Amino acid sequence: RMILSMKMSELEKMTAGKLYDAGDPSLSKIRDKAHSLAFRYNQLDELHKEERAEILKELLPNLGKDSSLTGPIYFDYGFNFHTGDRFYCNFNFVCLDVCEIDIGDDVFCGPNVSINTPLHPLLAEERNQYLSEHGMTDKEYGKKIVIGSNCWIASNVTICAGSHIGDNCVIGAGSVVVGDIPEGYLAYGVPAKPIRKIAKEDSVYLKKDLF
């Protein structure tokens, strides 16, 4: 009786969060295409709406409805980036999506936001490049990132591998998110920490100096 091989491809290892060979030709092909599509997107200004929309369909097949990406944008693969509807990112959005990035509805990202799923070994002898059957490469793995609905990720925020941000959160400018932020919290710092619950008293309509 024939026994079927259960060996995982490098793509399957990558998306499952296992150690994988980033130099694998099949991965390089997908990555090169994503980089090329992002480059083309970044060369077009916002008057070229239809061309930009067509590029996003190919680069980000799991982008929600009525979403807007100002650009420039940078993605490693694109297909691992999942959003709900009305996602928005400002200038210079970086997304290293070797593992899945799962984002809810109505999430806003300020300028220079980075969402990074890759991880590398801490030991130098394990992290340094080595010669594989495909040439020089390195050991890499990743962890999924989750961002809930109705979140505002302010400017210059970095979200690290394995982080989980609950619904209705605000992440303050310049923060580095490592780990979990509970639902409904204002969080900031390096590393970002939940500071306090966001309350009705935070309503913009109670700020009399704005009217």
Side-chain angles (χ1 to χ4, degrees):
R1 189 172 60 179
M2 184 174 68
I3 299 175
L4 297 176
S5 173
M6 297 299 291
K7 184 179 179 181
M8 298 175 74
S9 69
E10 297 303 315
L11 174 60
E12 290 170 330
K13 291 178 188 176
M14 182 184 80
T15 54
K18 309 292 186 184
L19 281 171
Y20 72 98
D21 178 2
D24 180 78
S26 64
L27 291 179
S28 296
K29 184 177 180 180
I30 301 170
R31 194 168 55 244
D32 289 347
K33 182 178 179 181
H35 292 178
S36 178
L37 288 167
F39 178 83
R40 286 168 51 197
Y41 186 87
N42 295 338
Q43 304 312 300
L44 297 170
D45 62 36
E46 294 176 354
L47 298 178
H48 294 80
K49 295 184 185 302
E50 291 184 5
E51 291 175 69
R52 281 162 60 105
E54 286 302 312
I55 292 172
L56 286 185
K57 282 182 185 178
E58 191 171 359
L59 174 62
L60 305 176
N62 300 303
L63 184 67
K65 294 184 296 184
D66 300 318
S67 294
S68 176
L69 291 77
T70 300
I73 58 174
Y74 305 93
F75 286 84
D76 253 354
Y77 293 94
F79 69 88
N80 269 331
F81 185 70
H82 299 250
T83 78
D85 297 337
R86 298 171 299 279
F87 172 79
Y88 170 74
C89 68
N90 213 315
F91 301 109
N92 206 37
F93 181 69
V94 176
C95 181
L96 305 184
D97 58 327
V98 304
C99 283
E100 185 178 351
I101 295 170
D102 190 1
I103 298 175
D105 295 329
D106 298 296
V107 171
F108 298 171
C109 294
N112 304 310
V113 166
S114 295
I115 305 178
N116 305 321
T117 65
L119 291 163
H120 299 277
L122 295 181
L123 295 178
E125 61 269 27
E126 296 177 354
R127 182 176 61 249
N128 293 342
Q129 289 197 333
Y130 67 96
L131 183 62
S132 77
E133 60 180 308
H134 307 302
M136 294 303 293
T137 188
D138 62 273
K139 294 182 176 70
E140 186 174 302
Y141 62 108
K143 288 186 179 180
K144 178 179 179 177
I145 290 174
V146 177
I147 302 172
S149 295
N150 304 307
C151 289
W152 172 25
I153 313 298
S155 59
N156 297 294
V157 168
T158 298
I159 301 173
C160 297
S163 296
H164 187 157
I165 299 172
D167 294 342
N168 306 309
C169 284
V170 175
I171 309 299
S175 298
V176 177
V177 180
V178 183
D180 294 348
I181 303 297
E183 178 179 348
Y185 267 82
L186 167 66
Y188 53 80
V190 182
K193 295 182 179 179
I195 303 302
R196 64 174 177 84
K197 271 275 196 179
I198 298 170
K200 290 183 179 180
E201 289 74 22
D202 291 308
S203 171
V204 70
Y205 294 106
L206 298 177
K207 301 181 186 298
K208 302 303 181 185
D209 58 320
L210 298 180
F211 297 93

